[in-house]
């Protein structure tokens, strides 16, 4: 069509005139840049100089976008969990770029790079003539000019909104003469500041190689599965060919291979022509088939395997914490482009063991109900999260076996609304009981019944709620019970009685001081049933941390997932610290752990009496079961590591005691409600092999055990055939235990608490241990 031909001629003519204009002015620029003292005359020269001097000359080179990586420890080795990026780039130094790549870049894009200045008038005129004669379109920009353009594009792509990105990108790629002149002026200024090698290095690190692949290192890793330093002559030429037209020449599209091969051969021919390689090298490279080995980069937490949920928690931490940027947009941009190396607290070997244990006892799905299970372990005294796992597979798509919701964390850090903690929450009533001068030997009413509002105190006033009716798990749990036995057996009636002698607000406030809060945010409920864990839904992480605080003898450490962040210049970024602080007295925490140790004791009918690990470490903790066994918990700790296990309904209200999983070994009930015990024991056993722990616990002050003064005299010892046995006449059962254990004797109650205590003398090589009977009288 004549009209179309005219338009094509007009476009070509305009481009020709534009290139000639740029060539003329470029000559002026070069003259000014190289010989500023030259007196240029004539209208063209004068107008060129004026235009040139009005253009910007300061190129601001922003930080290049680079991959951020998240690592976990596997033994002594740092293992990559996942990478995050908008541009898949690894910036490398000059010495890591082989000559094969340097030669290929020059041969492909600017063979006179080391001979001409920042702009090449001869190259512009040569391209102009070739294009005007209808030959293949030839580029005229030098590597320095291309670098300037790439810096502009890089800056554009760092904008926070797509609209801003598009607008900035349009400025960088504007085909006008004005843009070419600005680019040339900046290129000239750049070469005054940097050497040719520095500019070529910058170019090779910033250049795009198709899709999200930027920089020669990432290109080598993605297309050939090797580092840039290992690229052959043929591979280097093939990769640098992509830069000319990434969409049509990138190697992950099989249809592009012939075109890439043709372009590669052109590059190799230039290398031979300009004596970068010899004839033999040329023939070998030319006859090498372009055969990429596409190697996908691990990206996002779905690539983190068993650590997917932990990875997601790390990401959520980065996006929420101002250590990583002033605003959310800043933090997101840093995650995607800052090139950080994030070293986390996760122990990958134990994470695999935890996942295996959980998967053994809790299925990923059930035909009966929406089953969920999670386990999290914290290092005592540091807040470091060393395992975080659940029964599902981490994925952005939802199914019966997959989810992105992290059951271990708060909603803001993983999408979960939390779960009622059941009797694990009794910890705070126990602590408040001890804190206010009561003892473990105090006897309280353990019966199921109804407490009227007038029998409860809320913030110094009568409770404003409705009458509180509660039951016990079994009928055998009623009657008058000591607080110690009530703790071991988890008797609801006893804890309701304890709460009636305390202030509900004080119990709630103490829990909050321990860092416990609703998983969805806000304040804990002080609705009376919260005393036995029947109100607010909380996260396993916050409950694990509360028990870790007891193991740390009353010092609360904020949970952390990140040990350090190394920036691209090698410096370390400030990261969140545990900020440990004392939230309850050391003596109360010691007494509470002593009481919670009875939960593992069959002699006290402890609800976790089968959960103690076989290594002999001192362990304490608490079980929890909500009404109708909808949610079940087991939280336990050594002096080194605390582990919290939750198994229950993600949604719905299935009673776990009415579903049989039968995965636990003999000795456990076959109910789904029993699986938490096997999970906790399996995980903690594996952890104890790595972290160890104390085999004993500090003796609590007598005032917390029996109500006596902390200055109570030491019981008078009596003699026996095998040593000195403390005289425990008149002491309560717990006080007698303390005295006997402190003297090195094992003991067990014969019959009722009014019976005798059999104490076993410390082993002294005798084949048959001797026993001494000691009569005790329990205190009131």
């Amino acid at each position: 069509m004549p009209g179309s031909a005219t338009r094509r001629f007009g476009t070509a003519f305009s481009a020709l005139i534009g290139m000639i204009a740029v060539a003329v002015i470029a000559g002026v620029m070069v003259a000014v840049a190289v010989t500023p003292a030259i007196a240029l005359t004539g209208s063209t020269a004068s107008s060129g100089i004026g235009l040139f001097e009005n253009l910007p000359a300061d190129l601001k080179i922003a930080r290049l976008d680079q991959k951020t990586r998240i690592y976990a420890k596997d033994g002594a080795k740092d293992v990559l969990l996942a990478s995050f990026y908008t541009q898949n780039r690894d910036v490398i130094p000059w010495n890591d770029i082989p000559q094969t790549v340097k030669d290929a870049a020059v041969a492909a894009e600017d063979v006179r790079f080391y001979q001409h200045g920042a702009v090449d008038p001869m190259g512009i005129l040569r391209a102009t003539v070739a294009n005007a004669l209808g030959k293949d379109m030839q580029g005229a920009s030098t590597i320095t000019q291309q670098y300037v353009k790439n810096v502009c594009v890089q800056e554009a792509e760092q904008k926070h909104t797509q609209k801003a990105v598009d607008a900035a990108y349009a400025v960088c790629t504007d085909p006008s003469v004005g843009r070419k002149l600005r680019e040339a002026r900046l290129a000239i200024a750049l070469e005054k500041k940097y050497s040719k090698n520095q500019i070529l290095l910058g170019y090779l690190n910033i250049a795009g190689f198709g899709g999200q692949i930027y920089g020669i290192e990432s290109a080598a890793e993605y297309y050939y599965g090797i580092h840039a330093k290992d690229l052959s002559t043929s591979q280097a030429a093939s990769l640098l060919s992509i830069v000319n037209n990434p969409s049509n020449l990138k190697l992950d599209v099989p249809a592009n291979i012939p075109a890439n091969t043709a372009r590669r051969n052109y590059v190799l021919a230039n290398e031979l022509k300009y004596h970068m390689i010899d004839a033999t090298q040329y023939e070998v490279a030319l006859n090498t088939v372009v055969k990429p080995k596409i190697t996908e980069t691990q990206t996002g937490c779905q690539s983190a395997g068993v650590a997917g949920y932990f990875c997601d928690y790390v990401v959520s931490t980065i996006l929420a914490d101002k250590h990583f940027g002033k605003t959310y947009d800043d933090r997101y941009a840093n995650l995607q482009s800052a090139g950080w190396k994030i070293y986390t607290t996760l122990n990958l070997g134990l994470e695999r063991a935890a996942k295996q244990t959980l998967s053994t006892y809790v299925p990923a799905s059930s035909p009966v109900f929406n089953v969920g299970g999670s386990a999290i372990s914290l290092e005592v005294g540091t807040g470091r999260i060393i395992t975080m796992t659940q029964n599902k597979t981490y994925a952005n798509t939802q199914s019966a076996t997959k989810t992105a919701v992290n059951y271990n964390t708060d909603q803001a850090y993983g999408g979960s609304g939390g779960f009622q903690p059941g009797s694990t929450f009794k910890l705070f009533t126990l602590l408040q009981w001890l804190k206010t001068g009561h003892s473990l030997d105090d006897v309280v009413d353990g019966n199921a019944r109804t407490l009227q509002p007038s029998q409860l105190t809320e913030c110094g006033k009568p409770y404003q709620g409705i009458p509180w009716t509660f039951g016990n798990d079994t009928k055998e749990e009623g009657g008058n019970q000591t607080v110690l036995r009530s703790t071991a057996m988890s008797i609801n009636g006893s804890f309701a009685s304890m709460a009636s002698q305390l202030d509900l607000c004080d119990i709630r406030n103490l829990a909050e001081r321990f860092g416990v809060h609703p998983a969805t945010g806000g304040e804990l409920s002080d609705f009376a049933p919260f005393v036995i864990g029947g109100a607010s839904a909380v996260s396993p992480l916050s409950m694990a941390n509360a028990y870790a605080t007891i193991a740390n003898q009353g010092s609360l450490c904020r949970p952390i997932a990140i040990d350090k962040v190394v920036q691209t210049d090698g410096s370390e970024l400030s990261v969140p610290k545990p900020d440990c602080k004392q939230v309850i007295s050391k003596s109360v925490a010691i007494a509470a752990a002593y009481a919670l140790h009875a939960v593992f004791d069959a002699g006290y009918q402890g609800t976790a009496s089968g959960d103690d690990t076989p290594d002999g470490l001192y362990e304490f903790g608490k079980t929890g079961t909500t009404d109708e066994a909808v949610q079940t918990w087991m939280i336990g700790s050594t002096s080194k590591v605390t582990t919290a296990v939750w198994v229950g309904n993600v949604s719905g209200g299935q009673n776990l005691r009415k579903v049989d999983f039968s995965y636990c070994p003999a000795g456990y009930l076959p109910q789904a409600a029993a699986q938490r015990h096997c999970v906790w024991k399996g995980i903690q056993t594996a952890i104890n092999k790595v972290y160890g722990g104390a085999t004993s616990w500090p003796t609590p002050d007598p005032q917390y055990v029996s109500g006596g003064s902390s200055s109570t005299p030491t019981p008078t010892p009596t003699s026996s055939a095998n040593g000195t046995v403390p005289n425990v006449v008149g002491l309560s059962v717990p006080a007698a235990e303390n005295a006997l254990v402190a003297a090195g004797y094992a003991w067990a109650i014969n019959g009722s608490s009014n019976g005798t205590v059999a104490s076993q003398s410390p082993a002294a090589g005798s084949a048959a241990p001797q026993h001494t009977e000691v009569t005790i009288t329990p205190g009131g």
Side-chain angles (χ1 to χ4, degrees):
M1 294 176 63
S4 298
T6 302
R7 281 195 296 273
R8 285 197 300 271
F9 174 77
T11 301
F13 183 74
S14 297
L16 176 62
I17 296 300
M19 293 186 75
I20 292 174
V22 170
V24 172
I25 296 174
V28 175
M29 290 181 180
V30 173
V32 173
V34 177
T35 56
I38 293 179
L40 295 170
T41 60
S43 59
T44 300
S46 297
S47 60
I49 293 172
L51 178 60
F52 171 70
E53 291 181 340
N54 288 328
L55 292 173
D58 182 20
L59 179 66
K60 296 179 180 179
I61 303 176
R63 179 196 70 198
L64 290 182
D65 285 359
Q66 294 190 61
K67 282 183 292 190
T68 289
R69 293 176 169 88
I70 297 177
Y71 295 92
K73 281 286 186 187
D74 193 0
K77 185 180 179 182
D78 292 310
V79 176
L80 179 66
L81 295 181
S83 297
F84 296 84
Y85 55 82
T86 51
Q87 295 183 354
N88 184 357
R89 175 190 286 112
D90 285 313
V91 173
I92 56 175
W94 180 255
N95 290 339
D96 283 352
I97 300 178
Q99 196 60 42
T100 57
V101 170
K102 297 167 186 175
D103 289 342
V106 172
E109 297 300 319
D110 188 0
V111 292
R112 298 182 61 250
F113 175 63
Y114 283 98
Q115 283 75 51
H116 60 61
V119 293
D120 184 10
M122 290 179 60
I124 295 174
L125 290 173
R126 184 174 59 252
T128 301
V129 171
N131 295 337
L133 293 175
K135 296 181 179 180
D136 290 341
M137 290 293 289
Q138 294 189 18
S141 294
T142 65
I143 284 177
T144 306
Q145 287 174 281
Q146 291 183 52
Y147 178 57
V148 168
K149 180 179 179 181
N150 279 327
V151 168
C152 181
V153 171
Q154 170 77 20
E155 184 178 352
E157 292 181 348
Q158 290 177 340
K159 303 294 183 183
H160 288 320
T161 67
Q162 190 59 49
K163 184 177 180 181
V165 169
D166 293 341
Y169 186 81
V171 171
C172 299
T173 57
D174 176 16
S176 69
V177 172
R179 196 269 297 176
K180 282 287 188 181
L181 291 177
R182 286 193 301 272
E183 189 178 274
R185 172 68 189 272
L186 290 170
I188 290 171
L190 195 69
E191 288 212 356
K192 288 183 177 181
K193 188 174 183 179
Y194 298 102
S195 69
K196 288 283 190 178
N197 284 353
Q198 288 174 315
I199 292 169
L200 182 58
L201 173 63
Y203 173 78
L204 288 169
N205 276 318
I206 200 173
F209 288 82
Q212 291 181 291
I213 310 301
Y214 289 82
I216 188 61
E217 176 69 7
S218 290
E221 291 176 350
Y222 176 68
Y223 289 114
Y224 285 111
I226 59 177
H227 292 293
K229 63 183 178 64
D230 300 318
L231 288 168
S232 68
T233 298
S234 174
Q235 290 170 330
S238 178
L239 291 183
L240 267 299
S241 296
I242 297 173
V243 176
N244 181 259
N245 189 339
S247 296
N248 294 331
L249 297 174
K250 61 180 183 173
L251 298 175
D252 54 0
V253 178
N256 289 349
I257 300 298
N260 180 277
T261 302
R263 176 70 181 175
R264 180 207 65 172
N265 294 346
Y266 162 79
V267 173
L268 292 173
N270 269 353
E271 290 189 60
L272 177 64
K273 179 179 179 181
Y274 290 95
H275 310 294
M276 299 174 189
I277 57 176
D278 59 29
T280 301
Q281 291 172 310
Y282 171 73
E283 288 298 330
V284 170
L286 190 69
N287 291 315
T288 300
V289 176
V290 174
K291 190 177 181 180
K293 180 184 177 183
I294 304 302
T295 307
E296 296 285 352
T297 302
Q298 291 181 330
T299 179
C301 289
Q302 291 187 85
S303 67
V306 296
Y309 292 103
F310 176 80
C311 172
D312 184 77
Y313 180 74
V314 171
V315 170
S316 295
T317 299
I318 291 170
L319 295 179
D321 197 297
K322 290 187 177 181
H323 281 86
F324 306 103
K326 291 183 179 180
T327 67
Y328 177 89
D329 286 345
D330 291 337
R331 296 189 287 271
Y332 182 81
N334 285 335
L335 175 67
Q336 298 290 337
S337 64
W340 292 338
K341 292 182 178 179
I342 301 171
Y343 297 94
T344 69
T345 60
L346 191 74
N347 184 313
L348 195 53
L350 290 176
E351 176 77 349
R352 285 192 288 264
K355 176 63 176 179
Q356 177 61 43
T357 300
L358 186 64
S359 298
T360 298
Y361 299 117
V362 182
S365 64
S366 165
V368 180
F369 70 112
N370 189 2
V371 59
S374 70
I376 185 166
S377 300
L378 301 180
E379 186 177 44
V380 173
T382 67
R384 298 175 71 249
I385 300 170
I386 59 175
T387 73
M388 177 185 284
T389 190
Q390 64 189 57
N391 68 319
K392 309 289 186 182
T393 298
Y394 181 82
N396 291 326
T397 55
Q398 187 80 20
S399 71
T401 60
K402 298 178 180 179
T403 183
V405 176
N406 189 340
Y407 302 148
N408 276 300
T409 63
D410 293 338
Q411 191 171 70
Y413 287 80
S416 174
F419 312 96
Q420 284 191 355
S423 293
T424 61
F425 208 82
K426 289 174 180 174
L427 167 67
F428 307 108
T429 302
L430 174 65
L431 289 169
Q432 189 64 22
W433 180 261
L434 295 171
K435 181 183 174 186
T436 52
H438 299 281
S439 78
L440 298 174
D441 203 37
D442 290 345
V443 175
V444 294
D445 183 355
N447 288 312
R449 60 196 188 282
T450 298
L451 287 178
Q452 299 301 319
S454 60
Q455 295 175 275
L456 298 168
T457 302
E458 180 182 20
C459 299
K461 300 177 182 179
Y463 177 56
Q464 297 300 303
I466 61 175
W468 176 26
T469 299
F470 49 84
N472 288 323
D473 200 37
T474 65
K475 293 180 179 179
E476 291 75 22
E477 292 178 355
N480 292 333
Q481 303 281 358
T482 66
V483 170
L484 181 62
R485 185 170 290 276
S486 296
T487 301
M489 297 176 65
S490 195
I491 301 174
N492 290 340
S494 297
F495 276 81
S497 296
M498 293 159 66
S500 71
Q501 299 182 49
L502 304 170
D503 191 309
L504 297 181
C505 292
D506 290 341
I507 300 172
R508 178 200 63 197
N509 295 342
L510 182 59
E512 290 180 340
R513 210 155 48 243
F514 270 67
V516 179
H517 51 270
T520 55
E523 297 181 349
L524 291 171
S525 170
D526 58 3
F527 180 54
F530 89 91
V531 170
I532 56 175
S536 300
V538 297
S539 71
L541 173 57
S542 67
M543 290 302 295
N545 200 40
Y547 279 77
T549 301
I550 299 300
N552 200 32
Q553 300 188 2
S555 180
L556 171 72
C557 300
R558 183 171 67 169
I560 59 172
I562 298 170
D563 279 334
K564 67 177 180 179
V565 173
V566 179
Q567 302 182 94
T568 55
D569 62 1
S571 64
E572 289 191 20
L573 186 72
S574 175
V575 298
K577 302 299 182 184
D579 297 328
C580 302
K581 61 181 180 180
Q582 202 75 25
V583 293
I584 201 165
S585 71
K586 186 175 180 179
S587 58
V588 168
I590 288 173
Y594 165 82
L596 294 168
H597 179 59
V599 174
F600 287 83
D601 192 334
Y604 281 101
Q605 295 178 270
T607 55
S609 58
D611 296 2
D612 50 318
T613 57
D615 44 53
L617 299 186
Y618 190 95
E619 292 163 335
F620 66 87
K622 190 73 189 69
T623 58
T625 306
T626 63
D627 288 346
E628 301 300 320
V630 172
Q631 313 295 356
T632 65
W633 295 68
M634 171 58 198
I635 307 176
S637 184
T638 65
S639 62
K640 295 294 186 181
V641 176
T642 302
T643 298
V645 173
W646 160 79
V647 180
N649 289 258
V650 176
S651 59
Q654 174 63 47
N655 188 323
L656 268 64
R657 287 174 173 165
K658 296 181 179 179
V659 179
D660 283 353
F661 280 169
S662 302
Y663 299 132
C664 279
Y668 289 93
L669 293 173
Q671 304 165 348
Q675 307 308 303
R676 54 183 160 157
H677 298 291
C678 301
V679 174
W680 187 89
K681 185 172 184 175
I683 292 175
Q684 196 68 38
T685 298
I687 288 173
N688 291 354
K689 290 178 181 178
V690 176
Y691 282 85
T695 56
S696 61
W697 191 251
T699 302
D701 287 347
Q703 67 188 50
Y704 300 117
V705 177
S706 60
S709 169
S710 59
S711 59
T712 300
T714 303
T716 303
T718 59
S719 296
S720 75
N722 289 300
T724 301
V725 180
N727 182 355
V728 293
V729 174
L731 295 184
S732 65
V733 172
E737 177 194 18
N738 285 338
L740 292 168
V741 171
Y745 291 84
W747 69 283
I749 298 176
N750 293 335
S752 69
S753 59
N754 286 320
T756 58
V757 174
S759 58
Q760 182 176 322
S761 177
S766 59
Q770 305 270 332
H771 292 78
T772 300
E773 296 294 324
V774 181
T775 301
I776 61 171
T777 303

